[in-house]
C-alpha cells in the first residue's frame, strides 16, 4: 500500500478486519474505503480507523464500563457455557450487554478479547482462526484482564488528513454507492471459493453473545460454491465501473483443493472478466498463522496476485 501514489483513492470491497484501509491511512493516501456485509468486519475495521490518539482515553472508558456494569451472579445464556468457564462468561456478559454503547476501538478489542478468552478456557487448544476441541472442564480465564491487555496491545493510532471509511455494502452493487470511476486502485482478497463460512468459529460465538442471528447474516455473504463464480463475475464488473480509466484492480487469491485436484486461483479469476489480467504473480509461503495446517498437509501455501490494469485496455 505504501508504494501507491499519495493522491490515490483505494477500495477494499472485502475488507474483513480492515487491514488495507488502515494501511492506506498509515501511508497517508488521499482516500480509502473498506466495504463488507459482515457485522464483525465493521467492528474490527472501525476499531483500527478510530483508534484514539491517547491510550488513557481508552483505558478510562474501559474502567468506567467495568465499574458501571457489575458481574451478574449467574450467566444469561447457558448455551455459551459450551465455550467458556462460567465465571469468565459472567464477566463477558457484563460487558456485552452494553456493547452497542462502546467506542469503536473498545468494540474491536472486545471481539479480540472474546476470542482469546475462548481459547484460554479450552486450554489454548484452538488456533487463532479455528475452534478446536472443547474441554469438558473449562479453565477460568479472567476476561477483564484479557480485555485490558487487548486495549493496550492494539493501540496504534494514526493521524492523517485523508478520508478513511467503512461502509456495510454488497460488493455486487458497488456502483450504487460510489458511482463510476471513483477509485484509482482496488486492492483486496476476495472470499475463499471453498465455501468458508464467515459466520462460524469466533464470529459465531460473538453473534450468539450479542443476540445476532447468524442465519440472517450468512445468506448475504459470498460463500456458496454453487453461485460463487457468478457472484465474483458481478463483483469484477462492478469494480471495473468504480475504477478510473487509469485504475488498477488487484486481487490476492489462493488455490482451491477439490476431490479431483487443485484449482489455481489465479487461473480461475483470469477467466471471469472479459479483459484478461495484465499480470499474474505467484508466491509460496509458510510460517503464517496457518502453519499448523502446512505441517499437516505437508505443503507450502500458495497465493496468486492478479492485476488488471485499465490503462492498458
Amino acid at each position: 500500500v505504501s508504494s501507491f501514489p499519495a493522491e490515490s483513492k483505494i477500495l477494499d470491497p472485502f475488507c474483513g478486519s480492515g487491514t488495507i484501509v488502515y494501511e492506506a491511512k498509515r501511508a497517508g493516501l488521499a482516500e480509502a474505503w473498506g466495504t463488507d456485509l459482515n457485522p464483525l468486519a465493521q467492528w474490527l475495521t472501525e476499531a483500527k480507523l478510530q483508534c484514539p490518539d491517547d491510550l488513557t482515553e481508552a483505558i478510562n472508558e474501559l474502567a468506567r464500563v467495568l465499574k458501571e456494569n457489575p458481574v451478574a451472579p449467574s450467566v444469561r445464556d447457558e448455551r455459551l457455557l459450551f465455550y467458556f468457564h462460567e465465571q469468565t462468561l459472567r464477566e463477558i456478559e457484563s460487558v456485552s450487554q452494553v456493547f452497542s454503547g462502546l467506542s469503536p476501538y473498545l468494540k474491536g478489542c472486545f471481539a479480540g478479547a472474546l476470542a482469546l478468552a475462548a481459547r484460554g478456557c479450552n486450554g489454548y487448544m484452538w488456533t487463532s482462526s479455528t475452534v478446536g476441541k472443547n474441554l469438558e472442564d473449562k479453565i477460568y480465564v479472567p476476561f477483564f484482564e484479557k480485555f485490558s491487555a487487548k486495549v493496550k496491545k492494539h493501540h496504534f493510532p494514526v493521524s492523517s488528513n485523508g478520508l478513511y471509511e467503512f461502509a456495510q455494502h454488497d460488493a455486487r452493487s458497488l456502483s450504487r454507492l460510489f458511482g463510476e470511476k471513483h477509485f484509482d486502485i482496488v486492492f483486496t482478497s476476495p472470499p475463499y471459493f471453498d465455501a468458508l463460512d464467515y459466520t462460524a468459529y469466533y464470529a459465531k460465538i460473538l453473534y450468539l453473545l450479542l443476540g445476532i442471528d447468524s442465519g440472517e447474516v450468512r445468506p448475504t455473504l459470498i460463500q456458496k460454491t454453487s453461485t460463487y463464480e457468478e457472484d465474483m463475475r458481478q463483483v469484477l464488473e462492478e469494480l471495473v465501473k468504480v475504477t478510473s480509466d487509469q485504475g488498477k484492480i488487484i486481487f490476492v487469491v489462493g488455490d482451491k483443493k477439490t476431490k479431483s485436484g487443485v484449482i489455481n486461483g489465479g487461473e480461475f479469476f483470469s477467466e471471469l472478466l472479459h479483459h484478461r489480467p495484465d499480470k499474474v504473480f505467484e508466491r509460496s509461503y509458510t510460517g503464517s498463522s496457518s502453519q499448523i495446517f502446512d505441517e499437516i498437509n505437508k505443503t507450502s501455501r500458495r497465493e496468486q496476485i492478479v492485476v488488471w490494469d485499465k490503462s492498458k485496455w
Side-chain angles (χ1 to χ4, degrees), residues 94-111:
S94 69
V95 179
S96 67
Q97 63 181 337
V98 294
F99 178 84
S100 61
L102 299 180
S103 66
Y105 181 63
L106 252 65
K107 284 181 179 179
C109 292
F110 176 81

Side-chain angles (χ1 to χ4, degrees), residues 76 205 237:
R76 293 180 172 84
I205 300 173
E237 290 173 353

Side-chain angles (χ1 to χ4, degrees), residues 227-280:
T227 61
Y228 185 87
E229 183 172 341
E230 180 56 33
D231 286 335
M232 292 311 303
R233 196 187 309 276
Q234 290 181 34
V235 170
L236 280 167
E237 290 173 353
E238 285 293 294
L239 293 177
V240 171
K241 291 180 183 178
V242 301
T243 48
S244 68
D245 292 337
Q246 303 297 312
K248 291 182 175 64
I249 301 171
I250 305 169
F251 270 32
V252 181
V253 301
D255 290 342
K256 175 185 178 183
K257 287 188 175 182
T258 66
K259 293 180 180 179
S260 57
V262 176
I263 298 175
N264 181 281
E267 295 176 359
F268 175 86
F269 281 92
S270 295
E271 301 295 329
L272 295 186
L273 198 58
H274 55 283
H275 287 281
R276 290 189 62 82
D278 298 277
K279 295 180 182 179
V280 179

Side-chain angles (χ1 to χ4, degrees), residues 27-300:
L29 300 191
E31 184 175 332
W33 283 81
T35 66
D36 209 300
L37 281 174
N38 198 330
L40 180 56
Q42 178 176 3
W43 299 326
L44 297 180
T45 300
E46 291 184 345
K48 291 176 179 176
L49 295 179
Q50 300 183 44
C51 179
D53 293 334
D54 187 354
L55 176 59
T56 303
E57 178 183 335
I59 293 175
N60 289 342
E61 180 189 0
L62 176 59
R64 176 178 53 78
V65 168
L66 298 183
K67 181 179 180 180
E68 295 176 356
N69 298 277
V71 178
S74 60
V75 300
R76 293 180 172 84
D77 191 338
E78 293 189 353
R79 293 175 297 175
L80 287 160
L81 290 173
F82 182 77
Y83 304 103
F84 300 103
H85 184 280
E86 180 178 351
Q87 176 63 23
T88 303
L89 178 56
R90 289 195 287 120
E91 294 173 8
I92 291 171
E93 288 184 328
S94 69
V95 179
S96 67
Q97 63 181 337
V98 294
F99 178 84
S100 61
L102 299 180
S103 66
Y105 181 63
L106 252 65
K107 284 181 179 179
C109 292
F110 176 81
L114 184 77
L116 187 59
R119 292 177 64 196
C121 288
N122 289 278
Y124 294 98
M125 298 175 68
W126 303 357
T127 72
S128 59
S129 58
T130 58
V131 172
K133 180 180 179 181
N134 287 282
L135 293 183
E136 186 172 342
D137 294 323
K138 304 295 184 189
I139 300 169
Y140 169 61
V141 172
F143 178 72
F144 297 153
E145 290 183 12
K146 298 298 182 186
F147 195 1
S148 178
K150 282 288 182 182
V151 169
K152 297 173 183 177
K153 179 181 179 181
H154 296 287
H155 184 255
F156 296 103
V158 174
S159 297
S160 185
N161 295 324
L163 176 65
Y164 314 98
E165 296 286 346
F166 172 89
Q168 191 170 25
H169 194 82
D170 194 326
R172 290 162 288 196
S173 61
L174 288 166
S175 59
R176 296 180 189 175
L177 180 63
F178 297 111
E180 297 191 1
K181 302 183 179 182
H182 183 83
F183 294 100
D184 304 297
I185 298 165
V186 171
F187 188 20
T188 193
S189 292
Y192 290 112
F193 58 168
D194 56 358
L196 178 66
D197 186 354
Y198 289 93
T199 62
Y201 307 125
Y202 297 108
K204 177 181 179 180
I205 300 173
L206 183 58
Y207 293 155
L208 183 60
L209 183 68
L210 299 177
I212 296 174
D213 186 353
S214 59
E216 293 182 359
V217 176
R218 191 178 301 113
T220 69
L221 308 180
I222 298 177
Q223 53 186 39
K224 292 183 179 179
T225 54
S226 60
T227 61
Y228 185 87
E229 183 172 341
E230 180 56 33
D231 286 335
M232 292 311 303
R233 196 187 309 276
Q234 290 181 34
V235 170
L236 280 167
E237 290 173 353
E238 285 293 294
L239 293 177
V240 171
K241 291 180 183 178
V242 301
T243 48
S244 68
D245 292 337
Q246 303 297 312
K248 291 182 175 64
I249 301 171
I250 305 169
F251 270 32
V252 181
V253 301
D255 290 342
K256 175 185 178 183
K257 287 188 175 182
T258 66
K259 293 180 180 179
S260 57
V262 176
I263 298 175
N264 181 281
E267 295 176 359
F268 175 86
F269 281 92
S270 295
E271 301 295 329
L272 295 186
L273 198 58
H274 55 283
H275 287 281
R276 290 189 62 82
D278 298 277
K279 295 180 182 179
V280 179
F281 305 91
E282 183 174 81
R283 73 182 186 119
S284 299
Y285 63 99
T286 56
S288 67
S289 61
S290 301
Q291 58 188 309
I292 184 172
F293 299 113
D294 298 334
E295 183 177 344
I296 292 172
N297 297 329
K298 304 299 180 184
T299 59
S300 295

